[in-house]
Amino acid sequence: QETRSVTTANGTFDIPVAPQRIVALNDQIVALPLYELGTSVVGSAGRVDAEGKTFMRGGMDTLGIDYANTDIQYVGQFNALDVEAIAALQPDLIIGGTYTHPAVVDQLQSIAPTLVIDNGALGLIETLRTLADVSGQSGNFEARYQRYQANIERTKSFIGDTAAISATTTFMFPEADEL
């Protein structure tokens, strides 16, 4: 594949211009945004519920997806990755965050370029923009972001003067329950 150079929190790497097989080392922060942008996510770290069933945190709630109804394969939890499962997927790009142990990142580098995205330092929008950039979906992200900004402006014009608005939230609990 044609490659290009990118710099992330863990260095500068040559990555595919248009990655075809991405493994996400976090479900909610990495896999879901990549999936929504239309990238080819072949594997993702996830969660395990009390019954031992794997799931992507927020996947069903936000996009209606999980391991059972997509081609995304479970590759362990973000803090207990299955390196062999990741290698078996033959990814051309692996994306994680600062929560990924540096020794694991080094090990994954032997499989495919492994990028560490520092979402804490970047903030939400720049994290999403970075994920779009490294996955070859920058144009898609920018179009969606512009639509989002336009929706905010339409909402502001509908609401009017927000200084004149007050809101009260009440929580009701059965006797003796606590929040």
Side-chain angles (χ1 to χ4, degrees), residues 5-138:
S5 182
V6 298
T7 301
T8 60
N10 63 321
T12 300
F13 303 93
D14 288 332
I15 66 168
V17 170
Q20 300 300 306
R21 301 184 59 77
I22 299 174
V23 169
L25 304 181
N26 184 288
D27 47 359
Q28 192 172 36
I29 297 170
V30 180
L32 296 181
L34 289 173
Y35 182 88
E36 187 173 13
L37 285 167
T39 64
S40 178
V41 180
V42 296
S44 175
R47 321 292 164 125
V48 181
D49 67 17
E51 289 82 39
K53 182 181 179 233
T54 59
F55 66 99
M56 286 185 270
R57 183 177 181 190
M60 289 303 291
D61 296 333
T62 58
L63 301 174
I65 66 166
D66 214 338
Y67 299 108
N69 68 355
T70 66
D71 292 331
I72 301 172
Q73 300 296 307
Y74 175 76
V75 296
Q77 295 176 309
F78 77 94
N79 59 352
L81 296 164
D82 183 339
V83 175
E84 290 181 11
I86 293 170
L89 293 172
Q90 300 178 323
D92 56 2
L93 183 62
I94 302 170
I95 305 171
T98 56
Y99 43 78
T100 308
H101 194 282
V104 175
V105 171
D106 288 344
Q107 189 176 11
L108 293 172
Q109 293 288 6
S110 67
I111 299 168
T114 304
L115 308 180
V116 172
I117 308 297
D118 188 349
N119 63 293
L122 292 173
L124 177 63
I125 300 302
E126 289 308 312
T127 295
L128 296 175
R129 185 172 273 125
T130 299
L131 290 171
D133 175 52
V134 300
S135 66
Q137 295 293 324
S138 288

